[in-house]
Amino acid sequence: MDGVEKILSFIENNRFNSDLLHLLASSVLSHDNHQPIRGYVHISHQSEELDVHCDLANPDIEPLFFLIEDIVSSPVQISADLLELESFTAALVACGASLRLIEPGLDLAGVLERGECWEPYTREGMLVAAAVHICLLDCLEAAGVELEGVAGCGVSEVIAAYIDGCLSLDQCFQAINCIGR
């Protein structure tokens, strides 16, 4: 029940941030093909109310896992509104410091503020996409959403290893930099 309340609180607090809601909706958090849907949240732009349905009849709710899509085949589209979230900008600063060790001229915050597009198949594009994913996942963590596990596909496996604590942030970006070469 506590995890459900945290997710509902996260949705309520970020109801107009389509990037974060898309990340949540496209993950295994929202639907597991092997389990029936446990609930849904409908957000109406014509009303301030959220339509929430939660099926908590089963106290043995499965743990929450997060699947990060491959950052190369399905890059995240973000808006500059994310820069208004304190947890996002804090993660952005940490990612920017690690990225400057690899690519000193890369201004991560500037790229996002200017809304620049990056080619996901390039080394720099992979680094920027990884940083964005890490920042978005840090927003979920800051909102109190506890994940039992994280899985990645393709380059996103490196991000999952970082989130799981197997790699440091510097090691994560170094590995993605090598893949991008």
Side-chain angles (χ1 to χ4, degrees):
M1 178 65 178
D2 189 40
V4 172
E5 288 175 357
K6 286 181 180 176
I7 289 174
L8 291 175
S9 174
F10 177 81
I11 292 169
E12 177 65 38
N13 293 330
N14 296 286
R15 65 182 297 152
F16 299 110
N17 191 323
S18 59
D19 296 313
L20 284 176
L21 294 177
H22 172 74
L23 181 67
L24 185 68
S26 66
S27 72
V28 178
L29 286 175
S30 62
H31 181 77
D32 178 349
N33 291 328
H34 303 293
Q35 299 289 331
I37 294 176
R38 295 186 297 259
Y40 63 83
V41 176
H42 177 256
I43 302 172
S44 171
H45 294 290
Q46 299 170 352
S47 167
E48 289 298 313
E49 297 295 315
L50 294 179
D51 177 19
V52 178
H53 169 76
C54 294
D55 179 9
L56 300 177
N58 182 0
D60 299 321
I61 293 177
E62 294 293 318
L64 299 176
F65 287 84
F66 197 88
L67 174 65
I68 308 168
E69 296 179 275
D70 185 16
I71 61 175
V72 174
S73 63
S74 55
V76 169
Q77 300 295 318
I78 66 157
S79 69
D81 294 343
L82 286 171
L83 297 171
E84 296 175 15
L85 293 173
E86 187 176 314
S87 55
F88 187 87
T89 56
L92 194 66
V93 168
C95 288
S98 283
L99 286 173
R100 279 191 294 282
L101 298 173
I102 296 168
E103 190 67 45
L106 180 61
D107 175 19
L108 184 58
V111 168
L112 300 180
E113 286 171 358
R114 292 185 297 273
E116 292 177 4
C117 294
W118 60 87
E119 178 60 45
Y121 298 103
T122 66
R123 182 181 59 82
E124 186 177 276
M126 286 182 195
L127 292 169
V128 170
V132 168
H133 275 80
I134 289 169
C135 293
L136 290 170
L137 287 163
D138 281 358
C139 287
L140 291 177
E141 183 181 325
V145 176
E146 294 180 24
L147 304 174
E148 295 294 323
V150 179
C153 176
V155 177
S156 297
E157 293 175 72
V158 179
I159 299 169
Y162 161 70
I163 298 297
D164 194 41
C166 298
L167 297 175
S168 71
L169 190 58
D170 291 347
Q171 291 169 330
C172 173
F173 286 124
Q174 289 168 357
I176 293 171
N177 186 52
C178 289
I179 293 168
R181 287 185 178 171

